[in-house]
Amino acid sequence: LLWLISLLSPQQVSAEVYTALVDMEELLETESFLIENLDNYIRIEEEKLDYLKRKNFEYQREHSEAIHDISGYLGNPINAYILTKRLTVDWTDIEQVMEFDVGKPFLENITRAHSVLKFPTDEDLNGAAVALMRLQDTYNLETASVARGELNGIQYSSEMTSSDCFELGRQSYLNGDHYHTILWMHEAMDRLTNEVNRTTTKADVLEYLAFSTFKQGNVLSALSMTNELLEIIPNHERAVGNKVFYEKQLAEEKRQQNLLGDDGSDNVPKDDVNIIRDTSNPHVYDLPERKLYEMLCRGELKPSSFYLSQLHCKYVTRDNPFLKIAPLKLEEASLQPYIVIYHDVLADSEIEVIQRLAKPRFRRATVQNHKTGELEVAHYRISKSAWLKDYDHKVIRTVGKRVEDMTGLTVETAEELQVVNYGIGGHYEPHFDFARREEKNAFKSLGTGNRIATVLFYMSDVEQGGATVFPSIRTALWPKKGTAAFWFNLHKSGEGDYLTRHAACPVLTGNKWVSNKWIHERGQEFSRPCDLQPDHPDSY
């Protein structure tokens, strides 16, 4: 492997590995190299030490013999020569061995590896930490359980160290997320007290914990933790300054409380418990939808028995000669809007081809800016995607023809097949696939109208999480390899169906692969013509 790295030409290795698990797999190759490199360094270092130990043993033996009878020893001209030789030639060699830095070539190997292998960046570390926070919030995971390697009661991995928990808290702190900072710094402190070989320090934990507790509104607890920190490090510069600030804040709060009491108004003292925010990202969409989204992701909302009794499964032929021979298996998931799931529409061999074609083309998934129409990355969509054309492979053409069989629509004006692999805690928060009236520039460059329909292929099973949820109709579709979901985004009138607003839940465990085929309006005039009467309420 070392020889291989020296031969490979340097190249720019892309970052953002956390946004797709397929890229994370390459990090294991990187770690494998680092482990082998470290093993070789340790072996060479041990060989150097073994050599020095042997020489030291020889010299000690000779020296002991000499000082036992100095006159007799030095009276032997051979011994006198050997002593002189040891103190000139031999010890000079020893000094050179001691000075030789055996680690230098191995450090150079690591430097070269950075231009060849994939290494995560600070952005990846932060993204991975944020992903864990997202999973913790969405799936109501206890901090201690996650630290034990448990996800929804299932043990997946070894436990985190105090250092691991501390770094999660530190990353939350850097993001201004003091709520999660407190959770993970408390966990770091609990684990620190039980560690034999401590991986972090109490002072470091207290520093972050105290300030985040203050930012959450609990000044008294922040002062108490700061005093505890100063007992460990009396001259801690930031702690000394923070202590003065907290004491002034408490004095001011007390003065304000006295004023309120004196004028007879209600005086409600601040609670000493931490102020906990309602959501991890409250600015993305309103709270009711957020709650529905998270409950659907957790599987807590299910359709009633009466509603389920109206849904059916059936074979579909659409008067299509081919489908009469091989009918499609259709399962209704919702009647309004009409959402169906087609089973067994992608073979494993086809999925392998699509994944193989997509991997080298993966880029961070983007969203369309509703004002400019330009594509840009967004924190609410964590995945990587690639676009595959019909001429890339016969399988892509076959999938396109299958979409026509499934939908009764033409794919002549459809977008290319988009393949997506989700990253750590990968998700896509509630959104519409169609462009709304105010989004004037959306799909303008395509010249094919709005997205009339969506076909979503599931190309992998997912152990936990990763559902596609529709908060407005309280419906969840769970990934099943080889299936495809289909729905119309537009009413026959061309107006958008706002009930199709949907989201991809964070992947809790597993690897989620999907592909999308977005079908556009142009070319569907005879396949799905407008009705004489509106097919939606006036509110649209």
Side-chain angles (χ1 to χ4, degrees):
L1 187 57
L2 301 178
W3 172 79
L4 176 64
I5 286 178
S6 65
L7 288 181
L8 287 174
S9 58
Q11 56 181 318
Q12 184 64 37
V13 180
S14 60
E16 273 198 1
V17 295
Y18 79 97
T19 55
L21 287 188
V22 68
D23 284 341
M24 293 290 295
E25 294 172 4
E26 295 184 44
L27 297 187
L28 292 175
E29 179 185 348
T30 300
E31 187 174 52
S32 178
F33 158 73
L34 292 175
I35 292 171
E36 182 180 346
N37 191 61
L38 181 58
D39 280 341
N40 290 330
Y41 163 70
I42 292 171
R43 178 176 54 80
I44 298 298
E45 192 74 76
E46 287 176 340
E47 288 177 0
K48 172 183 172 180
L49 291 174
D50 287 342
Y51 171 79
L52 293 174
K53 285 178 181 178
R54 287 195 305 271
K55 287 296 181 181
N56 190 44
F57 178 76
E58 292 174 11
Y59 299 156
Q60 282 182 341
R61 184 183 60 195
E62 284 290 326
H63 186 73
S64 297
E65 183 181 339
I67 62 174
H68 182 70
D69 182 7
I70 296 176
S71 297
Y73 182 85
L74 294 178
N76 185 328
I78 296 175
N79 289 341
Y81 163 74
I82 291 175
L83 175 61
T84 305
K85 187 248 182 188
R86 278 205 309 271
L87 292 174
T88 53
V89 177
D90 290 2
W91 276 102
T92 299
D93 290 343
I94 293 298
E95 289 174 15
Q96 289 176 350
V97 171
M98 292 174 66
E99 289 176 351
F100 180 69
D101 183 6
V102 298
K104 185 177 180 180
F106 297 98
L107 289 173
E108 290 173 350
N109 284 338
I110 295 175
T111 300
R112 285 195 296 270
H114 271 277
S115 63
V116 179
L117 298 176
K118 186 164 288 185
F119 281 77
T121 63
D122 289 340
E123 181 186 358
D124 290 310
L125 174 60
N126 188 263
V130 170
L132 270 181
M133 304 303 105
R134 183 186 311 120
L135 293 173
Q136 188 177 5
D137 288 349
T138 303
Y139 296 104
N140 282 343
L141 304 177
E142 293 182 358
T143 306
S145 297
V146 176
R148 287 195 301 269
E150 292 180 10
L151 297 174
N152 271 349
I154 301 175
Q155 187 74 38
Y156 282 99
S157 60
S158 56
E159 295 193 8
M160 293 183 181
T161 64
S162 175
S163 174
D164 295 333
C165 297
F166 172 81
E167 188 58 36
L168 273 175
R170 194 180 76 88
Q171 292 297 325
S172 297
Y173 177 89
L174 294 175
N175 293 330
D177 179 1
H178 298 288
Y179 166 59
H180 284 110
T181 302
I182 291 173
L183 290 181
W184 284 99
M185 287 300 174
H186 274 303
E187 187 61 31
M189 188 71 80
D190 290 343
R191 293 187 166 269
L192 182 63
T193 57
N194 297 319
E195 283 183 342
V196 177
N197 299 315
R198 297 196 165 185
T199 56
T200 188
T201 67
K202 186 176 182 179
D204 285 341
V205 175
L206 281 171
E207 182 176 5
Y208 285 93
L209 189 54
F211 189 75
S212 291
T213 300
F214 160 71
K215 294 296 287 185
Q216 288 291 90
N218 193 341
V219 185
L220 191 60
S221 292
L223 177 60
S224 175
M225 293 174 189
T226 303
N227 287 332
E228 190 176 354
L229 171 57
L230 288 170
E231 288 177 7
I232 302 171
I233 308 177
N235 59 346
H236 193 290
E237 187 175 350
R238 283 187 299 274
V240 170
N242 287 347
K243 174 182 169 66
V244 174
F245 177 77
Y246 297 152
E247 287 174 341
K248 287 182 178 179
Q249 285 287 106
L250 288 172
E252 179 63 20
E253 286 180 10
K254 186 174 181 180
R255 189 182 73 82
Q256 291 294 335
Q257 288 176 352
N258 289 336
L259 288 174
L260 286 170
D262 290 343
D263 67 10
S265 59
D266 292 336
N267 183 12
V268 182
K270 286 188 176 181
D271 194 348
D272 279 342
V273 301
N274 292 327
I275 300 171
I276 300 176
R277 58 184 180 170
D278 293 321
T279 65
S280 59
N281 196 343
H283 304 296
V284 177
Y285 37 77
D286 60 37
L287 191 56
E289 184 181 48
R290 176 79 190 193
K291 285 186 175 180
L292 285 172
Y293 160 61
E294 292 183 346
M295 291 175 73
L296 285 165
C297 289
R298 295 192 293 267
E300 294 174 356
L301 290 179
K302 298 184 183 299
S304 66
S305 299
F306 174 74
Y307 183 80
L308 290 174
S309 68
Q310 301 177 67
L311 304 177
H312 300 90
C313 295
K314 57 187 176 181
Y315 286 103
V316 176
T317 60
R318 297 188 186 279
D319 293 326
N320 182 315
F322 174 75
L323 294 183
K324 288 184 181 297
I325 301 172
L328 294 166
K329 303 172 186 175
L330 181 149
E331 175 190 351
E332 293 178 334
S334 169
L335 298 179
Q336 185 60 37
Y338 192 61
I339 302 173
V340 300
I341 301 171
Y342 288 104
H343 290 265
D344 302 322
V345 290
L346 270 186
D348 288 352
S349 58
E350 293 174 322
I351 291 173
E352 289 173 6
V353 170
I354 294 171
Q355 291 176 337
R356 176 169 54 81
L357 293 172
K359 284 179 182 180
R361 310 183 191 192
F362 270 139
R363 297 292 183 272
R364 174 75 182 269
T366 56
V367 297
Q368 199 159 38
N369 185 300
H370 72 280
K371 293 182 179 178
T372 65
E374 297 296 321
L375 296 176
E376 58 190 21
V377 299
H379 69 278
Y380 54 83
R381 188 180 192 185
I382 303 299
S383 61
K384 282 188 176 176
S385 63
W387 298 86
L388 303 181
K389 299 177 173 60
D390 283 351
Y391 59 73
D392 286 330
H393 198 280
K394 64 179 182 180
V395 166
I396 309 304
R397 295 190 294 275
T398 299
V399 169
K401 182 63 176 69
R402 197 168 298 150
V403 167
E404 291 186 334
D405 291 339
M406 292 160 57
T407 64
L409 303 172
T410 179
V411 296
E412 289 296 320
T413 56
E415 296 175 42
E416 298 165 2
L417 185 69
Q418 186 199 49
V419 184
V420 180
N421 180 229
Y422 287 83
I424 307 171
H427 71 134
Y428 191 0
E429 292 181 347
H431 62 280
F432 302 103
D433 280 352
F434 64 88
R436 289 163 288 172
R437 287 181 179 178
E438 62 270 22
E439 297 173 310
K440 303 293 185 183
N441 295 312
F443 316 127
K444 186 177 181 180
S445 61
L446 299 178
T448 53
N450 211 340
R451 286 175 173 170
I452 192 173
T454 294
V455 177
L456 171 62
F457 290 98
Y458 294 106
M459 302 197 301
S460 66
D461 296 315
V462 179
E463 292 179 47
Q464 292 196 73
T468 305
V469 298
F470 297 77
S472 298
I473 58 174
R474 306 191 177 195
T475 296
L477 311 180
W478 298 92
K480 183 181 178 183
K481 189 176 183 181
T483 62
F486 166 64
W487 65 87
F488 282 103
N489 296 304
L490 307 178
H491 293 285
K492 288 186 177 181
S493 63
E495 294 289 340
D497 188 344
Y498 285 78
L499 294 180
T500 62
R501 184 169 165 87
H502 59 286
C505 295
V507 178
L508 186 54
T509 56
N511 195 353
K512 182 181 178 183
W513 284 81
V514 300
S515 55
N516 296 291
K517 194 68 174 176
W518 284 301
I519 305 171
H520 282 246
E521 290 177 290
R522 182 163 296 177
Q524 320 300 342
E525 292 83 358
F526 297 102
S527 302
R528 195 181 188 238
C530 294
D531 283 339
L532 295 177
Q533 300 297 324
D535 58 339
H536 55 79
D538 291 339
S539 59
Y540 283 84

